[in-house]
Amino acid sequence: MKRVFCFACALVLIFTGHTFGQDVAVFYDAAVENGGGLAVPNPKQLAEMMVEELEAKKLTAEIVDSDELAEYMKANPKGIYIITQGNTPGTIFKKEGKKDLVYTWLREGGIGGFIGDYAFYYYWDKGARVTAAGAGQQSVFGATITNGTVSQVSPTDLGKELIPSLKKWSSNRASGLAVLKQNDFEYESYADDGVNADPIAYRTKDMEGWFINFHTSCCGTVIPPNDQIATEYAELISNRFATAKAVDPTGKVSVVWGRLKKSRQ
């Protein structure tokens, strides 16, 4: 009896001491923008490179389309997604405030990542691009954070620590630090000029998760090459957000996307 009891105790220690890291959903949908991206040259290649770089960091990552992204988010309330096409799918956002999946998901602890043009400015619904304009960010965050000021941003000390590959670059869809401060956002600037930041992660007072604005530009201002972006993003996710999002199996365990996809087949 004593031996059985000790064995049971050992099992409890094993399972309560182990944590499951969150996997990452990399969004690319060939049906969105006819497979193209807003301000992202060759987003399919970027998504593939992103998966490779994340897996090199010992993280699980898979490419998901519009429907799969919504399913992933519902199954992983504290997961991580990265949008590579500069356009948010209507399956998670339609400028409907609290009705939008992305609104509630970010507040429950999910991490949303974005590459491309102005975040939430556009969404893709029923085969067409819909313009939400600045009201898109108002719907999700209660404030318009992105501006069109061309900003020569340099890595901050935090950026150098978390994203060693990050270099000085020019953004024209950066996030205004004054707006974030005025609206009591918590934020982490990884590159800025003292006024505008990009890359940056931020969250409202009622968000447990974070939103990552990463290399956003358009209209002639060129973002870094795909391999550079993939390397930098994987460094940030690995060094900051994947480790912070580990969950205890005694709580709500995330669903590994590969297993979720198999269950749908």
Side-chain angles (χ1 to χ4, degrees):
M1 187 69 178
K2 185 176 180 181
R3 185 178 298 173
V4 172
F5 177 77
C6 291
F7 177 70
C9 290
L11 282 176
V12 169
L13 289 172
I14 289 170
F15 284 107
T16 56
H18 185 67
T19 57
F20 292 86
Q22 300 293 311
D23 62 332
V24 183
V26 179
F27 174 75
Y28 170 78
D29 191 333
V32 173
E33 299 290 344
N34 294 315
L38 301 178
V40 182
N42 200 346
K44 183 175 186 291
Q45 179 194 60
L46 176 57
E48 291 170 347
M49 288 181 170
M50 194 79 67
V51 169
E52 290 176 2
E53 290 294 332
L54 288 165
E55 289 182 341
K57 299 288 187 184
K58 309 302 181 186
L59 299 171
T60 58
E62 291 194 37
I63 295 173
V64 298
D65 63 20
S66 298
D67 291 332
E68 290 171 339
L69 176 59
E71 290 182 23
Y72 166 85
M73 290 167 67
K74 290 173 183 176
N76 290 270
K78 295 183 184 296
I80 302 169
Y81 78 66
I82 301 170
I83 287 178
T84 64
Q85 287 178 275
N87 198 330
T88 305
T91 53
I92 70 167
F93 169 76
K94 289 185 182 179
K95 201 184 69 175
E96 295 180 337
K98 295 179 181 180
K99 293 182 180 179
D100 285 328
L101 174 59
V102 71
Y103 182 100
T104 54
W105 191 76
L106 289 170
R107 281 157 179 79
E108 290 173 358
I111 307 295
F114 186 84
I115 306 166
D117 198 348
Y118 197 123
F120 299 113
Y121 198 95
Y122 304 105
Y123 65 92
W124 190 265
D125 186 47
K126 298 177 181 177
R129 184 199 308 165
V130 182
T131 302
Q137 289 187 5
Q138 287 277 351
S139 178
V140 179
F141 305 117
T144 302
I145 301 151
T146 302
N147 60 59
T149 305
V150 178
S151 306
Q152 298 289 336
V153 295
S154 299
T156 62
D157 289 341
L158 183 61
K160 292 174 185 176
E161 176 188 344
L162 299 177
I163 317 172
S165 298
L166 185 61
K167 299 177 175 61
K168 182 177 181 179
W169 78 291
S170 179
S171 169
N172 73 348
R173 290 291 185 268
S175 299
L177 297 178
V179 174
L180 293 169
K181 292 173 184 175
Q182 289 165 6
N183 289 277
D184 295 323
F185 279 61
E186 182 179 356
Y187 67 87
E188 297 180 356
S189 172
Y190 308 120
D192 65 51
D193 62 359
V195 178
N196 296 304
D198 185 4
I200 184 172
Y202 52 77
R203 61 181 175 182
T204 61
K205 285 189 204 177
D206 62 346
M207 280 171 54
E208 288 187 26
W210 292 83
F211 186 77
I212 307 169
N213 187 80
F214 204 97
H215 287 313
T216 48
S217 276
C218 88
C219 316
T221 302
V222 181
I223 63 176
N226 284 345
D227 58 346
Q228 179 70 17
I229 292 178
T231 297
E232 292 175 6
Y233 227 132
E235 289 175 345
L236 178 61
I237 296 299
S238 175
N239 293 332
R240 171 65 175 90
F241 293 106
T243 53
K245 289 286 119 181
V247 295
D248 192 307
T250 57
K252 201 166 189 178
V253 181
S254 68
V255 176
V256 174
W257 180 242
R259 292 204 296 267
L260 179 60
K261 288 177 79 172
K262 285 180 182 177
S263 69
R264 294 172 63 243
Q265 294 172 354

